[in-house]
Amino acid sequence: LEFRRVLFRSLKQIGIALHNYHETNNCFPQGWIGVTANQPDVNGVNGWGWASKLLHRMEQPALYHAINFKLSVTNAANSANIVKPLPMFRCPSDSSADSWVLKNSAGTAVATLATANYVGNFGTDGLDACLAFSPGAICKGDGVLMHNTTIRLSDIIDGTSSTLMIGERKTRADLDWHSTWAGIVAGGEENLQRVLAVTDHVPNSPSAHFDDFSSHHATGGHFLLADGRVRMITSVIDESVYKKLATRAGREPVADF
C-alpha cells in the first residue's frame, strides 16, 4: 500500500510540473530535442528529454541549473548530472540499480545514465521507425511527447481525461530494458525508447516489447493522464481502447476504462 502511495505521489508531482510548464510556456515540453546544422535530427544536439525540463519544478533547481542544456546529454560538462538518481522518477517496486550503462549496437559503452521508470507517451506506434529518419525530418507521433514538437492543451481534442501523458516502464537488466530521465544519447541502442513509449501492446503484454509501457505490478501499469489524474490501466484492457487513449486527436470515443 505504501508503494502505491509513493507511486501515485510521484506521478501526481510529474503532472503538476507538466501543467506548470504549460502555464509558463503555453505548451508541454518536447519529448526530446534533436538538431544538427539547423536541421531536425533525431540523434542531433542536444538530446535533452521531457523530464529534464521539469527538474526545477520538481524540487531539483540545483540540478536543473547545473545542467548545460546548450550542450549534449553526454558532453563531459554534463556527465556528473545525468547519473543523478531522482526518486520522483523511480517506481518504488523497481529494485534495479540507480544507474546503468547504455551501449551501442557493437556493445561499446556510450554513456552512464540514471535509472528512471516513467516514460512519455509518443503514441500508438512508430517510435522504432524514427531511428531510420535522416536529418531534416521531424519524428512525430500521435501522442503528446515527441521529437522537436510542442503540444498544447488545445491540441488534445480527444480530451485530457482520456489521453495518456506518462506511464510506467520497468527495468529488466537481462533484456537491456533501461530507461532514464535525461534524454537521447546519439548512437545508443534503442535510444529513443529510453524516454518514450508506445501503446503497441497492452501494459505487461507477453509480447514483451521494450518500447511498450510495462511495470512490476501483476495487474497492469499506472499512468498519468493529461488532466493530471493518475490511473491504473490493467493488462486486460481492450487493446483498441488502449490505443485510443494514446492519441491526442484521433477523434475516437473512448469507453469507460
Side-chain angles (χ1 to χ4, degrees):
L1 187 61
E2 179 60 25
F3 277 12
R4 182 181 172 88
R5 191 177 297 118
V6 171
L7 186 155
F8 265 69
R9 186 167 62 240
S10 294
L11 282 172
K12 280 279 191 184
Q13 188 179 6
I14 293 171
I16 291 168
L18 281 164
H19 279 268
N20 285 343
Y21 184 101
H22 192 289
E23 187 173 333
T24 301
N25 299 282
N26 200 29
C27 63
F28 292 115
Q30 300 96 331
W32 83 97
I33 297 171
V35 177
T36 297
N38 295 318
Q39 284 196 99
D41 181 0
V42 294
N43 281 304
V45 177
N46 47 36
W48 292 102
W50 62 270
S52 68
K53 303 305 177 67
L54 306 178
L55 296 174
H56 59 312
R57 304 171 192 273
M58 298 184 67
E59 302 174 359
Q60 292 292 326
L63 176 57
Y64 179 83
H65 293 295
I67 292 172
N68 188 334
F69 286 103
K70 294 180 180 178
L71 302 176
S72 70
V73 171
T74 53
N75 186 283
N78 288 315
S79 58
N81 299 319
I82 61 175
V83 296
K84 290 286 178 69
L86 299 176
M88 73 281 282
F89 292 123
R90 294 299 307 270
C91 173
S93 64
D94 190 295
S95 59
S96 59
D98 286 336
S99 64
W100 56 281
V101 176
L102 176 65
K103 299 177 181 179
N104 61 20
S105 57
T108 303
V110 293
T112 300
L113 297 158
T115 300
N117 296 114
Y118 303 123
V119 288
N121 170 30
F122 181 79
T124 52
D125 205 357
L127 191 55
D128 277 339
C130 298
L131 298 171
F133 277 33
S134 299
I138 297 177
C139 184
K140 293 186 179 183
D142 53 6
V144 184
L145 295 163
M146 63 204 75
H147 177 220
N148 287 12
T149 304
T150 55
I151 299 298
R152 298 180 177 187
L153 282 168
S154 58
D155 296 322
I156 306 176
I157 64 173
D158 287 352
T160 56
S161 63
S162 56
T163 301
L164 305 177
M165 178 74 79
I166 308 295
E168 286 189 84
R169 165 76 61 64
K170 67 183 175 185
T171 303
R172 277 197 60 179
D174 59 319
L175 297 176
D176 190 33
W177 285 15
H178 297 280
S179 306
T180 189
W181 59 260
I184 306 302
V185 176
E189 189 80 354
E190 296 189 288
N191 56 351
L192 310 182
Q193 293 92 326
R194 308 295 178 173
V195 298
L196 298 174
V198 295
T199 58
D200 191 26
H201 303 91
V202 298
N204 297 337
S205 166
S207 299
H209 287 197
F210 173 54
D211 60 357
D212 293 334
F213 292 100
S214 58
S215 80
H216 289 290
H217 314 294
T219 54
H222 295 85
F223 290 81
L224 171 73
L225 294 162
D227 66 354
R229 290 182 305 132
V230 177
R231 284 282 306 269
M232 157 70 85
I233 294 181
T234 70
S235 302
V236 296
I237 187 173
D238 182 274
E239 191 169 290
S240 65
V241 173
Y242 184 53
K243 288 181 183 294
K244 289 174 183 177
L245 292 171
T247 65
R248 67 183 180 278
R251 301 180 185 273
E252 320 100 328
V254 179
D256 190 30
F257 63 96

